[in-house]
Amino acid sequence: MIEKIENLISQAESFNAQTADELEQFRVRMLGKKGEVTELFNQFKNVAAEQKKEFGQKLNQLKNQVQDRVNELKAKLEAHESAPTGMDLSLPPGGFALGTRHPVNKVMNEIIEIFARLGFTVSEGPEVEDDYHNFSALNFAPEHPARDMQDTFFVAGRPDTLLRTHTSSVQVRTMEGQKPPIRTISPGRVFRNEAISARAHCIFHQVEGLYVDKRVSFADLKQTLLYFAKEFFGPGAAIRMRPSYFPFTEPSAEVDITCSICSGKGCNVCKHTGWLEILGCGMVHPNVLEASGIDSQTYTGFAFGMGMERIAMLRYGINDLRHFFENDLRFLKQITD
Ligand code: PHE
């Protein structure tokens, strides 16, 4: 009898079922009312007293073994049924295809980090602005051409509401809400009604910086920008300043860096000058400070602004600005550093 039980145990161990029917038949043959296991339980009363212990233990082992095997096969068959055919469920998962950050985003984060080391905080403001914060508070004369319909996207039917043309508007909002010392940069999207080409787009990104305190000088501006150029483009980078005009700064300058493509030797990208323009800057015009309630007798400040796409083009050697807006994965996947 013990031998028979052991035989059944090994049968249960090696039993396999291809279909639910086969499995059910096995279950009935073993555990059904007239099943082999049930029969053995019925015979328990006839077993000699000294064998009862061993017999009972073996019999329980058999019953558990059969029950476990049935449950195991049942789960397997059910999983198989719900799976699409042709799939190997025993394979390990394939892993996720991770995306990468957009090049403009990377450049922006790097710039934020560099200026954070100099104590600049990040400020943000609305993309839909009013004329006051985008122009008037920045000392734009009422008839200034930048307000012209050609350059600015106005909201239809609301001549006072527009898409900001630069993030200098955020600087105005910061000055309205804070007292000097102010040291902040404002990264963000800006909009200009321009024809789309390899060098221009109607949407792009800027980072503008503002520093207002007592005795801030043009030398501070120059040193800050030189530090930025060396941190971002490498220790060999040099800058030069050319006089320029912006309504909100006086004096104003445009800043060039040594061409990162030819290291200043002269190439097609820098039109053989060895220099590339990267930003506009200047000392904050007293009218701008006063418009935001800052005493221009006590405080001075500098401001600068640069286009992210242009910086990203230089960093990654990209020759067409439109790539940044097309979201073509073949382009984006190449920029992984
Ligand atoms: N706002 C200017 C632009 O969009 C850039 C700039 C910012 C110039 C701050 C000077 C000072 O072109």
Side-chain angles (χ1 to χ4, degrees):
M1 286 259 258
I2 295 282
E3 219 172 90
K4 180 166 185 209
I5 295 176
E6 274 169 355
N7 187 16
L8 286 174
I9 287 177
S10 71
Q11 264 187 46
E13 261 168 8
S14 59
F15 175 74
N16 219 341
Q18 300 303 324
T19 63
D21 273 356
E22 253 180 72
L23 181 60
E24 182 58 10
Q25 276 168 26
F26 172 74
R27 194 191 64 79
V28 172
R29 176 159 78 79
M30 291 294 193
L31 303 175
K33 263 194 186 146
K34 291 191 175 142
E36 305 217 34
V37 180
T38 319
E39 280 300 313
L40 285 166
F41 269 103
N42 290 341
Q43 285 173 29
F44 186 66
K45 54 183 183 297
N46 305 329
V47 173
E50 66 275 16
Q51 279 189 358
K52 268 200 157 63
K53 192 175 169 211
E54 192 192 356
F55 186 88
Q57 277 174 351
K58 286 273 178 210
L59 197 52
N60 274 327
Q61 191 193 339
L62 169 64
K63 189 181 153 214
N64 291 338
Q65 181 76 43
V66 171
Q67 195 60 61
D68 286 352
R69 189 70 188 142
V70 167
N71 291 344
E72 193 186 325
L73 289 171
K74 196 168 168 219
K76 240 186 178 175
L77 287 170
E78 276 171 3
H80 193 76
E81 255 169 36
S82 60
T85 50
M87 217 184 209
D88 184 350
L89 292 170
S90 63
L91 284 176
F96 296 103
L98 286 180
T100 54
R101 278 196 191 281
H102 192 281
V104 170
N105 230 288
K106 282 190 225 189
V107 165
M108 202 179 251
N109 288 342
E110 205 177 314
I111 293 175
I112 290 172
E113 248 172 54
I114 292 172
F115 283 102
R117 294 205 280 277
L118 295 175
F120 283 78
T121 56
V122 172
S123 321
E124 287 185 328
E127 292 180 353
V128 180
E129 256 302 356
D130 49 37
D131 177 281
Y132 178 77
H133 289 94
N134 197 81
F135 293 128
S136 300
L138 287 162
N139 201 33
F140 279 82
E143 71 284 3
H144 193 284
R147 295 173 181 240
D148 197 282
M149 298 292 279
Q150 296 307 310
D151 292 314
T152 308
F153 288 113
F154 288 88
V155 173
R158 299 187 57 180
D160 188 47
T161 310
L162 47 88
L163 302 182
R164 67 181 178 196
T165 60
H166 49 190
T167 56
S168 305
S169 54
V170 183
Q171 305 185 359
V172 174
R173 291 184 178 276
T174 307
M175 286 190 285
E176 284 172 350
Q178 285 178 33
K179 288 198 173 4
I182 296 170
R183 225 180 315 176
T184 190
I185 54 171
S186 33
R189 236 180 347 177
V190 300
F191 309 84
R192 287 185 198 174
N193 194 358
E194 281 183 31
I196 296 169
S197 73
R199 297 172 58 89
H201 209 288
C202 57
I203 304 176
F204 59 100
H205 298 77
Q206 277 193 332
V207 171
E208 296 221 354
L210 174 72
Y211 181 22
V212 181
D213 201 352
K214 288 176 182 156
R215 288 192 294 277
V216 174
S217 73
F218 202 89
D220 296 322
L221 168 61
K222 199 170 163 186
Q223 191 56 39
T224 303
L225 296 179
L226 181 62
Y227 173 80
F228 162 71
K230 286 186 182 297
E231 288 292 299
F232 190 86
F233 291 103
I239 61 169
R240 73 173 184 186
M241 290 177 140
R242 285 177 288 105
S244 185
Y245 173 78
F246 299 101
F248 36 92
T249 47
E250 182 60 35
S252 305
E254 259 156 22
V255 176
D256 300 339
I257 54 147
T258 36
C259 177
S260 53
I261 314 282
C262 64
S263 313
K265 287 187 207 69
C267 68
N268 281 342
V269 177
C270 60
K271 300 200 186 83
H272 302 281
T273 61
W275 296 97
L276 291 164
E277 187 199 319
I278 55 161
L279 57 86
C281 65
M283 300 305 292
V284 182
H285 197 293
N287 290 353
V288 174
L289 294 174
E290 296 290 342
S292 300
I294 293 174
D295 179 6
S296 63
Q297 296 297 317
T298 314
Y299 294 103
T300 52
F302 68 67
F304 58 87
M306 57 189 135
M308 289 302 86
E309 282 77 5
R310 185 157 173 73
I311 304 268
M313 282 166 88
L314 297 176
R315 160 60 60 88
Y316 299 111
I318 294 159
N319 58 10
D320 193 323
L321 193 137
R322 287 169 290 198
H323 287 311
F324 293 121
F325 301 95
E326 283 164 0
N327 286 332
D328 185 335
L329 288 179
R330 291 169 303 177
F331 165 73
L332 294 172
K333 275 184 174 167
Q334 291 179 52
I335 296 164
T336 52
D337 72 325

